[in-house]
């Protein structure tokens, strides 16, 4: 009953000219429209990407946003600016932002609430480090990120939020969590939403796995009951691979 959702996170890759080439290549293929298709491109490519995806079912995401609408925040991009371009999703709290740019759960929570207010669907990223997994505290870590990240979010807005479980040790490393481990954590996340909200909201929420997802691993992941999609970095930069991920069935 949950629509599968495959999102490509381009990270800091592709100039505007490269964006045009990649999107045009993706458009050469038939994509499975029973799967929600998202590309999350750099801010500089958003406007061009929006024009290129017109007439397709591909939806546009940003990789970050500020929580304020405007003001003296040099170098930042506001939700008003994103909504005006037609951005429908925003990745919030990616581990690279937490790690390299000091984003805390508090900052991430402000962004989540602001995105909701501006009708931008947040993709909230959570996940443990290798050290935390070795200490077997991954569930505590993820639960804290969810509880704090969703503070003050009302139940009516929960179904518009996607949670991406991305264990840090699996991102860009070629090490994927096993599909069973991914499923187990996605199930834990769903149970957390059930505790915080209700069974109904938990059943509606889409939960993705992310971390070295490749065409060879997608089917096994998507077969798991609690994995509703994937957030994909590296493989989303190659049109053929990204298309294979969307057309996983
Ligand atoms: P990866 O990145 O697929 O290159 O591991 C995933 C992500 O960081 O979203």
């Amino acid at each position: 009953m949950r629509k599968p959702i495959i999102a490509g996170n381009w990270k800091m890759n592709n100039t505007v000219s490269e964006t045009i080439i990649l999107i045009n290549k993706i458009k050469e293929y038939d994509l499975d429209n029973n799967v929600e298709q998202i590309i999350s491109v750099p801010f500089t490519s958003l406007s061009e990407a929006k024009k290129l995806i017109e007439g397709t079912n591909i939806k546009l995401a940003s990789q970050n946003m500020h929580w304020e609408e405007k003001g003296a925040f040099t170098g930042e991009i506001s939700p008003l600016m994103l909504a005006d371009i037609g951005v429908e999703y925003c990745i919030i709290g990616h581990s690279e932002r937490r790690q390299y740019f000091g984003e805390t759960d508090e900052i991430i929570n402000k962004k989540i609430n602001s995105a909701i207010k501006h009708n931008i669907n947040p993709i909230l990223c959570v996940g443990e480090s290798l050290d935390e997994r070795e200490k077997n505290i991954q569930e505590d870590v993820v639960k804290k990120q969810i509880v704090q990240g969703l503070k003050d979010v009302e139940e009516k807005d929960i179904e518009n939020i996607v949670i991406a479980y991305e264990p840090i040790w699996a991102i860009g490393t070629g090490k994927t969590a096993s599909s069973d481990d991914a499923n187990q954590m996605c199930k834990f996340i769903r149970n957390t939403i059930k505790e915080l909200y209700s069974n109904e909201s938990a059943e509606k929420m889409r939960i993705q796995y992310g971390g070295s997802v490749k065409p060879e691993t997608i089917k096994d992941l998507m077969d798991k009951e609690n994995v509703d999609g994937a957030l994909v970095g590296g493989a989303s930069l190659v049109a053929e691979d990204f298309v294979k991920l969307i057309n996983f069935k």
Side-chain angles (χ1 to χ4, degrees), residues 68-119:
E68 293 287 350
E69 291 184 349
K70 59 180 172 178
F73 300 100
T74 303
E76 290 292 322
I77 303 288
S78 90
L80 279 186
M81 298 168 184
L82 297 174
D84 184 53
I85 292 177
V87 168
E88 292 181 68
Y89 285 86
C90 178
I91 298 176
I92 295 180
H94 189 280
S95 64
E96 286 150 16
R97 300 231 36 103
R98 294 177 190 258
Q99 201 178 341
Y100 306 136
F101 303 98
E103 288 200 12
T104 60
D105 286 323
E106 196 190 347
I107 291 175
I108 290 162
N109 177 247
K110 283 188 194 173
K111 294 183 178 190
I112 295 276
N113 280 302
S114 172
I116 291 168
K117 189 173 153 208
H118 293 92
N119 293 320

Side-chain angles (χ1 to χ4, degrees), residues 23-90:
I23 295 180
N24 280 335
K25 268 195 200 148
I26 295 171
K27 280 165 56 177
E28 285 171 14
Y29 296 85
D30 285 330
L31 301 179
D32 183 348
N33 289 325
N34 296 315
V35 172
E36 195 155 359
Q37 311 149 8
I38 299 176
I39 50 171
S40 185
V41 310
F43 288 130
T44 43
S45 289
L46 285 170
S47 288
E48 193 62 38
K50 183 67 191 174
K51 283 185 225 152
L52 290 162
I53 60 179
E54 218 193 289
T56 73
N57 285 312
I58 301 172
K59 292 181 177 164
L60 192 59
S62 64
Q63 301 171 12
N64 184 26
M65 56 172 255
H66 196 274
W67 59 87
E68 293 287 350
E69 291 184 349
K70 59 180 172 178
F73 300 100
T74 303
E76 290 292 322
I77 303 288
S78 90
L80 279 186
M81 298 168 184
L82 297 174
D84 184 53
I85 292 177
V87 168
E88 292 181 68
Y89 285 86
C90 178

Side-chain angles (χ1 to χ4, degrees), residues 2 7 13 40 54 64 73-74 76 78-79 90 95-96 98 123 127 138 142 154 189 199 207 213 217-218 225 237 246:
R2 295 182 292 267
N13 292 292
S40 185
E54 218 193 289
N64 184 26
F73 300 100
T74 303
E76 290 292 322
S78 90
C90 178
S95 64
E96 286 150 16
R98 294 177 190 258
I123 301 179
Q138 64 273 21
V142 166
E154 291 177 41
I189 292 171
N199 193 29
I207 305 173
V213 174
T217 53
I218 188 76
E225 191 187 340
L237 297 172
I246 289 168

Side-chain angles (χ1 to χ4, degrees), residues 9 11 94 166 170-172 211-213 231-234:
N9 173 13
K11 308 194 180 185
H94 189 280
E166 298 204 306
I171 297 177
S212 298
V213 174
L231 181 57
V232 187

